[in-house]
């Protein structure tokens, strides 16, 4: 092999902004800030290319999740094909899902790009789980997932292609399954602690994925799409979709009343849910009120459509029932809509009172302790755990031999998701200010930058630092101030400023935030300030700087990074 | 969060074979052996799920490639969306490629799943490369790629979804581009050295991807699909598709002659390539003979179709030409096919002699040095580098400002592929014997296994070993012999055998191969054998075992692993 004659200097700064940043970044939406700073590039609506800076942060989030899944979750990593055959999705009635990307191969076989892998993983594990001795088992993967959202928005928060950690647990009985569910929630707590950004966990709706028990993990943020309700007495936190409340006083609503029609599972009963027109109807509470005896396939159908399905010949009317379910906020003076059916018998009617049918609102009484009041917070969902029971294992024909030698037992499943790329977007959203991003050290693309125009001093400084996590290459056209500004905007926790004036002392500017409120560095400072010749300067605008000799730089940076 | 009451013992052996292996694995094709041993599971034709064992090896190959690309290649890692819009592929005339997986989203926009990313990366870099100062730049990604092969085969060697490292270089002039091409080939040499399996590099055909210069990296293997020809004089190695040979003596073929028709680029000339019917027509040599003046779009068309395209009204016949190109192996007594056109003029004919039009064969004279003879070897291709020139940058409208302030300069590109999942399949194929796989330490799923039925001794042994790369969990039903057999079949280089009889001594059985021929462990053995109380036993069947005290186990394993 011939060797290159010239040592080429590669352009590692190629994705950086080519000119100095100005104050306009303050007003940029996070998704655009990501692009301005060279973290990602949107290729199509809902699709992004990850650039080197963004990929570093993405990889760090991924590593934290993987580490905890292995070490604390005892989970086995797999990596499934993204192409899943139609036949599997028909078994669970999910092929008709409108958000599936579907395609055919050259032989006309149909596939979807997997948005989640309950079908595939259950089908796969059917080959390997044959005895109760093979459980509990949790498998997970960190792979790209696909969802053809009609209105992708929020950049990384809701993309059509995203990196997701999805885990699936298999247990031989419900107790083992609930233990696994708890264990996985403990893993989630550790993951979110490792990430350093404050989070809350909330009981949640199981939604379309089904199952019995579900927790969500959220970052509180005023721009979030979710709403959490927290009780000021019992501390219970729930997603608004799952939260039941009681009105301060019942029967106070005397305005307009809305109605939502539904049918019982056997279609013998028309259910008329009445609720205040000023409130959000809650399908979960409506299901609970009927103890689940509702045909969920009609959930998203219009009232007209439901009535059409209920329509029957005159001679069968006597065998049908009509059940009026009244939200407890209504009273008899409320303005009810007309009842649309002409032919019915008085005997057909039943009525259910004193239930809550609408989404809880901040200020109402907690439905859990029935004492405290609910506080509402906007939030961004970043993780979700489900105890699924046998919904998928039954549909996919899973069987195992239990300890009593019964070979027709069905495994209990759980599933556990974290959107890795979504987390990058959520952390960025929560941890930014007018200067740009402000990453915790756990996921910052670099821990430190070295800003200086004197290339030799930059190189000397670089060599004193052990960590490989240092950004020292900038576009040569950028001045010192522009480099510091860029480092801050990129959200790198420490900017090391070198120049001939102060040399052999350098300045360390702290950009990062002390997320846990810990200030352990102050103790180290008191202990070592003389020994290390370590000075602190706080400027008028509150910027914290440390003036340190080059030979102690690496030690002092390590001390500062611990709290960031 | 509630904590689990019971410490659950997770079933980490769930993907292992449930019963002892028998000798039938000897005859299993590699793709089936992978599945029997729980490395992967085929989900559909050409699609696989990676299981924990296989994923460990895949990740190790990936890490070696990434490390060399970063450290020696100065390359920047990105990660592009797998969904690429139709518009980009139309710019390079590659949308009609039959092996593209195509799909439409809910808004009817067309995408393909990327098999390779020249279009996307060039389009992306158009945003960032604006000046010669932004180059040379090399970017790469390690992502899943998709190719809808009609006949996927060879398991990991030719799948429809595969993990690929694809790199793309951008240079401001040809000299810089060739330096980058050389640099990347040096990186490839290091990668393949790191992997330890012997390899060869060969000059190669640039194929459909286009470009001027190309090298391939191969593992020699009798079951391979490729053929390499090596000259015994000049040492030149070429893929058979690229290799030119001379017959031992010209004009010796007097049997049947085949003809392949083609047209010149302007369609004014019908080219009739005549060659011995016993040989393989080489499109590359045929192109060279015409100095490239051939319409490549007709390459795969039948002779009938080419003649139909050439058809023209009688009054235009005089403006057309017919060129007969003769392979030098033919003579006038050879049995030529009839010329199919009725209307032509004598003046229309031309003839080209003494060229070689057929693929070289082992035994012929090397076309490069014209002295040595060619030796043929079957092989598996595992990497490919291309100098592309401006083929893609021109089609994608790339422009930059060069050092003379010319803003219409076009970047020179290169592209460089390594199939990561293919490499796993290729190494497995090359490095296996009747007992199973035989991984080099660089990519072995584990470096060591601990085989023993006494759980306490296994745990004590586990704790003396520093490396985390140890397999110690087996299906409890497997006996000691079955565990050792499984460890060997999995291809783990060292099996540590523990039992109460020999304790506190343990046996280390060497399964791995000394790929580089190095035996540096022998010197360490001579130096330390007394100090470490280290005994060697070679059994009748040639098995190499080391009997060592538990306290020296970790040190001795490290010494042994160095050569494996």
């Amino acid at each position: 092999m011939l060797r290159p004659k010239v040592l080429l200097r590669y352009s590692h700064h190629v994705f950086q902004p080519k000119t100095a940043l100005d104050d306009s970044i303050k007003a940029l939406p996070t998704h655009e800030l990501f692009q301005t700073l060279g973290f990602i590039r949107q290729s199509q609506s809902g699709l992004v290319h990850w650039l080197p800076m963004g990929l570093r942060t993405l990889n760090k989030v991924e590593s934290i999740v993987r580490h905890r899944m292995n070490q604390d979750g005892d989970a086995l990593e797999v990596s499934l094909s993204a192409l899943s055959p139609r036949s599997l999705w028909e078994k669970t009635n999910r092929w008709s899902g409108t958000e599936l990307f579907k395609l055919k191969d050259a032989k006309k076989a149909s596939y979807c790009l997997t948005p989640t892998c309950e079908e595939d993983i259950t089908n796969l594990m059917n080959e390997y789980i044959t005895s109760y001795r093979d459980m509990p088992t949790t498998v997970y993967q960190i792979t790209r997932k696909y969802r053809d959202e009609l209105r992708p928005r929020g950049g990384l928060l809701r993309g059509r292609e995203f990196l997701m950690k999805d885990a699936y647990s298999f247990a031989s009985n419900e107790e083992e399954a609930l233990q696994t569910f708890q264990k996985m929630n403990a893993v989630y707590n550790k993951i979110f602690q490792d990430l350093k950004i404050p989070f809350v966990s909330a009981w949640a709706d199981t939604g379309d994925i089904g199952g019995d028990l579900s927790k969500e993990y959220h970052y509180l943020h005023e721009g979030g799409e979710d709403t959490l309700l927290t009780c000021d007495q019992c501390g219970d936190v729930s997603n608004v979709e799952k939260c039941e409340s009681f009105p301060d006083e019942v029967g106070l609503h005397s305005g307009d009343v809305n109605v939502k029609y539904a049918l019982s599972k056997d279609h013998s009963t028309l259910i008329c849910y009445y609720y205040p027109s000023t409130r959000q109807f809650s399908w979960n509470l409506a299901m609970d009120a009927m103890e689940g005896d509702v045909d969920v396939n009609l959930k998203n159908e219009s009232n007209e459509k439901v009535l059409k399905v209920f329509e029957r010949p005159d001679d069968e009317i006597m065998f049908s029932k009509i059940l009026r379910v009244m939200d407890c906020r209504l009273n008899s003076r409320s303005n009810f809509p007309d009842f649309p059916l002409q032919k019915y018998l008085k005997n057909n009617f039943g009525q259910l009172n004193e239930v809550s049918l609408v989404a809880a609102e901040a200020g109402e009484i907690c439905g859990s302790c029935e004492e405290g009041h609910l506080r509402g917070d906007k939030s961004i969902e970043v993780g979700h755990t489900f105890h699924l029971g046998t919904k998928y294992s039954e549909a996919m024909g899973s069987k195992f031999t239990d300890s009593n030698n019964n070979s027709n037992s069905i495994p209990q499943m759980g599933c556990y998701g974290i959107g890795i790329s979504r987390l990058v977007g959520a952390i960025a959203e929560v941890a930014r200010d007018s200067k740009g991003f402000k990453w915790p050290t756990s996921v910052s693309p670099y821990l430190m930058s070295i800003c200086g125009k004197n290339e030799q001093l930059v190189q000397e400084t670089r060599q004193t630092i052990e960590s490989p996590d240092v950004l020292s290459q900038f576009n040569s056209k950028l001045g010192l101030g522009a480099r510091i500004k860029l480092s801050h905007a990129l959200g790198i926790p420490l900017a090391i400023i070198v120049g001939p004036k102060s040399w052999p002392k350098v300045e360390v500017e702290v950009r990062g935030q002390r997320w846990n409120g810990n200030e352990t560095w102050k103790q180290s400072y008191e202990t070592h300030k003389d020994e290390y010749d370590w000075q602190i300067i706080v400027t008028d605008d509150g910027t914290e700087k440390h003036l340190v000799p080059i030979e102690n730089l690496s030690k002092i940076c390590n001390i500062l990074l611990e709290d960031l």
Side-chain angles (χ1 to χ4, degrees), chain A residues 339-354:
Chain A
F339 188 67
L341 299 183
Q342 302 305 323
K343 299 171 193 161
Y344 52 90
L345 306 171
K346 231 181 180 173
N347 283 349
N348 293 146
F349 277 88
Q351 186 154 330
L352 204 62
N353 294 317
E354 310 232 336

Side-chain angles (χ1 to χ4, degrees), chain A residues 31 41 91 173 187 296 329 338 380 458 499 511-512 530:
Chain A
H31 185 54
R41 183 92 208 162
K91 287 188 186 177
N173 56 51
V187 169
V296 291
R329 292 159 187 84
D338 292 337
I380 304 172
V458 168
R511 160 69 174 150
D530 296 331

Side-chain angles (χ1 to χ4, degrees), chain A residues 101 183 201 281 338 406 473 492:
Chain A
F101 275 111
K183 178 169 175 148
S201 63
F281 180 71
D338 292 337
N406 172 6
Q473 284 182 307
I492 299 172

